[in-house]
Amino acid sequence: HVQLVESGGGSVQIGGSLRLSCAASGRLRCMGWFRQAPGKEREGVAALWRPHGRIYYDDSVKRRFAISQDNAKNTIYLQMNSPEPEDTAMYYCAADRQFKGGDTWSRVDSYQYWCQGTQVTVS
């Protein structure tokens, strides 16, 4: 039984930093972060293909956000540096036992398991 526990959301100032965490139970090959702003579709932010350590980012967050993992804790992180108001959204941790590769990392339907989401507000 897979469980994902997300933490770390909140308010952050423009140019500040914030870290999101997602602790998992179970063996999951792909874990990632999505976000959804009001009136917009859910979009992929970053993902990690865990066995290979391959990382994927959306262009909008490259060089500002960093996804990482702690295998001992079965946890992934999203370090958000220099956030902008456009980064304000509900952030979701997602995971799946499989990964099909390539751009599938950013597809909502590539992930079977989801957290309830945590709000990040940048102002």
Side-chain angles (χ1 to χ4, degrees), residues 26-32 47-56 67-71 74-76 94-101 105 111:
R27 189 169 183 170
L28 302 159
R29 289 181 172 269
C30 187
M31 294 184 70
L48 184 62
W49 183 11
R50 302 182 73 196
H52 297 263
R54 187 167 294 176
I55 291 175
Y56 302 86
I67 188 171
S68 61
Q69 64 177 334
D70 183 331
N71 288 327
N74 209 16
T75 298
I76 66 165
D96 201 274
R97 298 187 189 278
Q98 302 297 327
F99 178 55
K100 296 180 181 178
W105 75 267
Y111 299 84

Side-chain angles (χ1 to χ4, degrees), residues 66-122:
I67 188 171
S68 61
Q69 64 177 334
D70 183 331
N71 288 327
K73 297 180 180 179
N74 209 16
T75 298
I76 66 165
Y77 305 94
L78 184 68
Q79 179 68 41
M80 303 171 62
N81 298 321
S82 300
E84 302 165 352
E86 294 73 24
D87 297 317
T88 294
M90 188 74 77
Y91 282 72
Y92 299 88
C93 175
D96 201 274
R97 298 187 189 278
Q98 302 297 327
F99 178 55
K100 296 180 181 178
D103 291 342
T104 63
W105 75 267
S106 63
R107 291 172 55 116
V108 170
D109 60 4
S110 293
Y111 299 84
Q112 182 176 0
Y113 306 103
W114 291 84
C115 268
Q116 75 282 2
T118 187
Q119 178 67 37
V120 173
T121 302
V122 184

